[in-house]
Structure formats: C-alpha cells, structure tokens
Amino acid sequence: MSDDAVLGTIETQVAMLMRLGEASRRSTGVQPHRALDRAAYVILRQLQQDGPLNVSVLAAALNLDGSTVTRQVTALQNDGLVERERDPKDGRGTVIAATPLGLQQVEQVRQARKILYGTVLAKYTEQEKRELAATLERFNEAVAEHMRSRV
C-alpha cells in the first residue's frame, strides 16, 4: 500500500474513531458513561491527573483557546463540577479545581469506558491491547506536539 493510501486509511479511521466514540457515549445504556459530555470529561480528566490549574495552563494542556476553556469551565462551575480557588503560587490569580462531585463523575465515566473498551477488545490478546495502547498514546502525543508547534 502506498504512503498516500496509508495516510488516507489513517485519516478515515481517525474520523470514524471520533464518531464512534461519541456515538457510543450517547447510545450506551450505562448512565455513568453518559454523565459528562466530551468537553467536560477532558477538562475534569486533566484536573484529576494534574490537580488545580489556571485557565491558560489548562487550555495549553488541552490544545484549546483560553476563551473556549473559560466558557466550558463556567458551565462546569454552574454544575458544581469545578470551583475557582486562589492560586497558591500567586494570590492574585485563580486556579480551576475539580470538586469532589466532579472527581466522582469523571471517575464513574472513566470506569464505564474501561468496561466498554474491555468488552470491545475482548478478542484482542494482552499483547495486542498493550500495542494498541502504546500506539494510541504515541499518536496522540505526536498530534499534540504538532499542535503546540503551530502556536
């Protein structure tokens, strides 16, 4: 297969993966899987991983514009999933922190997704699962690096 054909297949499969990811979230009967939309999940997952962050650091970590993150954070704050706190490093600024409810919901979604992917990948060997995990992680890192280099 030519390089052009390989890249075409990758492009199509990434588009399908994104569509199927969102479709699986909407169609599953498992309520925790549906508890958060994609934007809320990625923000809360980042805060779960890194702890409280200021909006600019959070936006950079997610490769998003600061105004987009501010709007999303405001919606999450209205839902009681995040709160603004004084920045312990700079008392003039604020950081965004996940609330206990936000951490609970993101963890419920994370566990529901792990169950879903365990079912989907049931016929994969342990080695195939590890290879897929490593390939996806490497791919996402490459895309994120590409996005950072364009800023």
Side-chain angles (χ1 to χ4, degrees), residues 19-30 33-34 116:
R19 186 189 67 75
L20 288 169
E22 183 58 25
S24 70
R25 185 193 71 80
R26 285 191 320 269
S27 68
T28 185
V30 180
H33 190 74
R34 300 177 65 182
L116 171 68

Side-chain angles (χ1 to χ4, degrees), residues 6 14-15 22 38 42 53 58 61 72 75-76 78-79 88 96 98 103-104 111 114 117 124 142 148:
V6 169
V14 168
E22 183 58 25
R38 182 176 39 89
V42 296
L53 299 170
L58 183 57
Q72 293 170 344
L76 290 171
N78 291 340
D79 291 339
I96 309 306
L103 291 173
Q104 176 187 19
Q111 292 303 320
K114 284 171 51 177
Y117 296 138
Y124 283 54
R148 283 190 295 271

Side-chain angles (χ1 to χ4, degrees), residues 21 23 26 41 43 48 57 75 95 126 129 133 137:
R26 285 191 320 269
Y41 180 79
I43 288 173
Q48 181 187 43
V57 172
V95 292
E126 291 305 311
K129 290 179 207 177
E137 188 172 50

Side-chain angles (χ1 to χ4, degrees), residues 28-144:
T28 185
V30 180
Q31 184 55 37
H33 190 74
R34 300 177 65 182
L36 300 170
D37 66 21
R38 182 176 39 89
Y41 180 79
V42 296
I43 288 173
L44 286 166
R45 195 64 186 94
Q46 194 72 44
L47 295 172
Q48 181 187 43
Q49 175 183 304
D50 295 342
L53 299 170
N54 69 39
V55 170
S56 61
V57 172
L58 183 57
L62 300 174
N63 289 296
L64 292 170
D65 182 75
S67 64
T68 299
V69 172
T70 298
R71 278 192 310 277
Q72 293 170 344
V73 163
T74 298
L76 290 171
Q77 189 174 13
N78 291 340
D79 291 339
L81 302 176
V82 300
E83 58 192 6
R84 295 176 192 270
E85 303 174 343
R86 282 205 183 281
D87 188 337
K89 297 175 188 166
D90 176 4
R92 298 171 292 166
T94 60
V95 292
I96 309 306
T99 63
L101 177 61
L103 291 173
Q104 176 187 19
Q105 284 196 1
V106 77
E107 192 56 31
Q108 287 176 342
V109 172
R110 188 168 175 261
Q111 292 303 320
R113 288 179 176 184
K114 284 171 51 177
I115 291 167
L116 171 68
Y117 296 138
T119 301
V120 169
L121 299 172
K123 294 182 181 177
Y124 283 54
T125 67
E126 291 305 311
Q127 179 63 30
E128 288 171 327
K129 290 179 207 177
R130 282 191 293 276
E131 289 171 1
L132 177 60
T135 299
L136 286 171
E137 188 172 50
R138 185 174 173 210
F139 177 74
N140 281 332
E141 287 170 1
V143 172

